[in-house]
Amino acid sequence: MPSWLLNLKYTLKTKRFWLTSLRDIIVIAVVLFAIASYLQRDMQTGVATPINAYTIANKPISLFTSASINAQQHIRENSPQHKPTLVYFWGTWCPVCKVTSPMVNSVSLNPDYQVVSIAVASGTDADINTFMQQHHYHFDVINQQNQPQTISLSQQWGAMALPAIYIVDAENNIRFVTSGVTSSWGMSLRLWLATW
């Protein structure tokens, strides 16, 4: 047996190695939590800001308005399930979004959830559409630069660091916020929890 392997076996058996490793893991977790908290500091909580816009495919979207609340209540009363909504702020230029967008796409394929995204500083509708086709993404996209609001959707929602993900329940309450990389199972779990 090579000497490096013997040294490794010995090291793995020492109490000092495991205590040092535990300390390092705790320090890394605290640093990551602090960074995530800093990135999420401006993200909106409470009642979701209404979204009235058209997607890049010219499909109208009206979410979190009093009319949508009444429609959702009617659906909930006449259906065993209602759909929580994932609101995703992202950009075609954002390197972290390149990791998160495929996961958002996989969540959007689940008929139990509704996904709407807002592309921030990502060019024209044609540019975004080309990007979506190249990457085989199928979620609805609103191009923020084409919206008539004086204050952009990302500013209204406090999405200052991208990607920014909001999970909104059927009563239009923001239940969870996330900024940065997240997993599809993590998003799905939060969407499932938003149904309760």
Side-chain angles (χ1 to χ4, degrees):
M1 190 176 284
S3 62
W4 67 269
L5 191 55
L6 289 172
N7 287 338
L8 179 62
K9 283 177 101 176
Y10 174 74
T11 302
L12 291 175
K13 290 182 181 181
T14 64
K15 184 177 180 179
R16 180 184 170 125
F17 169 79
W18 291 107
L19 289 175
T20 303
S21 297
L22 180 61
R23 179 204 63 203
D24 293 346
I25 289 169
I26 291 171
V27 167
I28 290 169
V30 167
V31 167
L32 291 176
F33 177 77
I35 290 170
S37 297
Y38 178 77
L39 292 174
Q40 295 174 12
R41 73 192 180 285
D42 294 323
M43 293 180 77
Q44 180 184 356
T45 57
V47 178
T49 298
I51 296 175
N52 290 302
Y54 285 87
T55 68
I56 60 172
N58 209 28
K59 171 184 164 188
I61 297 218
S62 182
L63 295 172
F64 319 125
T65 62
S66 57
S68 69
I69 290 174
N70 293 337
Q72 288 173 351
Q73 286 174 342
H74 176 73
I75 290 168
R76 193 171 52 254
E77 289 166 1
N78 298 305
S79 162
Q81 292 186 348
H82 58 281
K83 292 184 180 185
T85 304
L86 185 150
V87 180
Y88 177 50
F89 288 86
W90 64 289
T92 57
W93 49 267
C94 167
V96 179
C97 299
K98 290 180 183 10
V99 175
T100 307
S101 292
M103 296 178 210
V104 170
N105 190 61
S106 70
V107 170
S108 74
L109 300 174
N110 186 332
D112 294 332
Y113 308 126
Q114 177 173 278
V115 174
V116 64
S117 73
I118 295 91
V120 179
S122 296
T124 66
D125 288 358
D127 294 336
I128 298 168
N129 192 38
T130 300
F131 182 86
M132 296 291 287
Q133 289 175 358
Q134 288 173 344
H135 293 86
H136 307 288
Y137 297 152
H138 304 288
F139 48 84
D140 287 330
V141 181
I142 296 168
N143 186 355
Q144 179 172 276
Q145 84 179 24
N146 290 347
Q147 302 313 306
Q149 295 98 339
T150 54
I151 300 173
S152 69
L153 286 170
S154 60
Q155 289 173 321
Q156 290 177 34
W157 282 71
M160 300 303 157
L162 300 182
I165 297 170
Y166 299 81
I167 306 296
V168 183
D169 66 16
E171 285 78 35
N172 295 348
N173 295 311
I174 297 171
R175 295 280 297 273
F176 302 98
V177 296
T178 304
S179 182
V181 176
T182 189
S183 65
S184 57
W185 63 266
M187 287 183 267
S188 295
L189 175 63
R190 284 175 252 166
L191 283 161
W192 179 77
L193 288 171
T195 62
W196 300 97

